[in-house]
Amino acid sequence: MYLAGAFVLGIAATAALDADWGGRLQASRVQQRGVVRSFSKGASILGNPGAVIVTSALYAGGRLLNQRGLADAGLHATEAVVLSGIITSAMKGVVGRARPNTPNSDPSEIGPDPDQFRVGRGFSSEGYSSFPSGHTTVAFAAASAFTRELSETHKRAAWIVGPILYSGATAIGLSRMYDNKHWASDVVAGAAVGTLVGRTLVAHQHAHRGNRMDRLLLPNAVEPSATGLTLRWSLSVR
């Protein structure tokens, strides 16, 4: 509850600075830096499709190596990424906020307007699907899910790995602003959705160990055999 309240305040605070911060990142002295441009491109790819590729690869690796802990973390992080992505897509469509690179609908105004909202238009127009940032959402969903997983089994490691994961997710959010695809408040909102979904989902799945998804997907494993790879499946039905 406190975390959600902090995010609401953060969104409100950054919304007042959207135009200013966006303008600073679009300044020619920033945009012309090749290193920054390359970093931004890589970070954007890491957010989408990188988040779902990394999380699902960890799940697959855990099954291949028969490491239940790794598979557990990969599965729950993948669930968090998918669920947060669905929530964000719905929000984008309903809110209908114009992206920074969408032409201003008011010809008397110069430059992009962070207050352009067309309720429902986000479902039909990419230019009005700015809020929240999808890349940021899935990045924070993965970061929060993995951090929560580590805190369940390796609390000391979580204090080290967690900040690294969240820093990477933040860099992805900044890259979306640098690419002029999102306002600062879009990024904060994406971070809010991703973090809350990731933390809540992992906590729920661990509190309900016998949930259907875990019973369906965690018991299976791929193991080496004399003839190649063998799929082992031991589904527990309750």
Side-chain angles (χ1 to χ4, degrees), residues 10-25:
I11 294 170
T14 52
L17 301 170
D18 277 335
D20 180 59
W21 288 3
R24 290 176 185 273
L25 286 176

Side-chain angles (χ1 to χ4, degrees), residues 23-237:
R24 290 176 185 273
L25 286 176
Q26 296 311 304
S28 59
R29 65 179 183 279
V30 177
Q31 290 290 318
Q32 290 174 1
R33 293 179 180 176
V35 174
V36 178
R37 188 163 54 251
S38 297
F39 176 82
S40 178
K41 183 178 180 179
S44 181
I45 294 173
L46 182 60
N48 186 23
V52 70
I53 291 175
V54 171
T55 55
S56 57
L58 288 174
Y59 166 72
R63 294 299 81 218
L64 180 63
L65 300 174
N66 200 23
Q67 296 293 320
R68 184 181 175 86
L70 181 60
D72 182 276
L75 173 61
H76 295 158
T78 302
E79 291 173 343
V81 166
V82 172
L83 178 58
S84 65
I86 292 172
I87 293 173
T88 294
S89 294
M91 292 177 66
K92 283 174 173 287
V94 172
V95 175
R97 188 185 200 184
R99 293 181 182 273
N101 57 7
T102 298
N104 198 321
S105 59
D106 186 349
S108 66
E109 295 288 339
I110 299 176
D113 180 7
D115 296 324
Q116 281 195 81
F117 292 90
R118 299 291 184 273
V119 178
R121 191 169 176 181
F123 290 114
S124 59
S125 174
E126 177 66 20
Y128 284 85
S129 60
S130 189
F131 184 92
S133 165
H135 285 67
T136 308
T137 296
V138 296
F140 273 87
S144 60
F146 281 132
T147 302
R148 188 61 183 261
E149 286 284 350
L150 277 176
S151 67
E152 296 278 346
T153 55
H154 303 86
K155 291 187 177 181
R156 186 171 298 178
W159 284 99
I160 300 173
V161 177
I164 296 175
L165 293 175
Y166 280 115
S167 295
T170 300
I172 290 171
L174 291 174
S175 75
R176 301 301 287 165
M177 292 175 60
Y178 176 85
D179 291 341
N180 205 30
K181 296 297 180 65
H182 287 286
W183 306 99
S185 54
D186 298 336
V187 170
V188 176
V193 174
T195 300
L196 294 173
V197 169
R199 289 172 58 86
T200 303
L201 186 143
V202 171
H204 177 272
Q205 299 297 64
H206 280 277
H208 302 82
R209 289 286 186 175
N211 67 82
R212 182 175 298 179
M213 290 297 291
D214 282 6
R215 295 201 314 271
L216 179 64
L217 297 175
L218 287 178
N220 59 342
V222 180
E223 300 176 336
S225 67
T227 58
L229 296 176
T230 299
L231 175 65
R232 179 169 61 82
W233 185 276
S234 56
L235 179 61
S236 173
V237 180

